[in-house]
Amino acid sequence: MNTPFTPPTRAYVEHVAVRVKDIHWHIRFFYEVLGMDVREIDGPTDDPRQYWTLGGMQLMACPDFEAPPSNEAGWLAHLGVMVDDLEAALAAAQHWGVKPLPQGRNWLQLPDGLAVELMQAAPGCVAQALSINPRAK
């Protein structure tokens, strides 16, 4: 942006909260495919109400949730996720029954309708971002 304005601060999105029907499926998918380990759990570990991952996901258990069609206003368009190894993530995702999307082979649709765009990160960038403790003061 070419403007003389200087914003008062800089920011980034630390996490994205999404409602999911099957929280256990999503916990396993984000861990086994993308290596997003647990950061925090709300509720019992065997039946969490909410689950936060290292890497920015907040999964909210909503068993009766019905996502609106992806072309309807108000629904999250997609998540862009940086990965250390795009090919490894795509190979791991094949076994999860996710649907490919027409945007490209790195675009996946999860069972609840959430679209995820996987992107190859530059070497070391994911580790650097994950080393940030979002709760540190």
Side-chain angles (χ1 to χ4, degrees):
M1 225 172 149
N2 293 334
T3 175
F5 176 77
T6 301
T9 189
R10 295 182 63 196
Y12 72 96
V13 175
E14 187 271 319
H15 72 273
V16 175
V18 294
R19 293 178 183 92
V20 296
K21 279 187 173 192
D22 185 346
I23 196 168
H24 297 287
W25 186 96
H26 286 80
I27 289 168
R28 289 189 316 271
F29 177 84
F30 281 97
Y31 177 71
E32 294 181 21
V33 174
L34 301 173
M36 291 185 177
D37 207 350
V38 63
R39 183 182 86 196
E40 185 179 343
I41 297 174
D42 173 33
T45 54
D46 62 337
D47 192 24
R49 289 181 292 276
Q50 297 185 85
Y51 185 97
W52 289 262
T53 71
L54 293 170
M57 293 301 303
Q58 177 184 348
L59 305 171
M60 302 169 65
C62 298
D64 298 326
F65 178 69
E66 289 296 329
S70 59
N71 63 345
E72 210 171 278
W75 177 235
L76 180 65
H78 73 277
L79 294 175
V81 178
M82 300 300 290
V83 297
D84 274 337
D85 187 335
L86 178 60
E87 296 307 318
L90 291 172
Q94 289 179 2
H95 307 290
W96 286 85
V98 297
K99 297 177 188 173
L101 290 170
Q103 293 92 323
R105 66 186 199 89
N106 61 315
W107 286 75
L108 309 172
Q109 185 172 40
L110 306 189
D112 287 356
L114 182 62
V116 178
E117 176 188 10
L118 301 178
M119 297 173 284
Q120 178 64 55
C125 288
V126 173
Q128 183 179 4
L130 292 175
S131 70
I132 300 168
N133 179 350
R135 301 296 186 238
K137 303 242 185 253

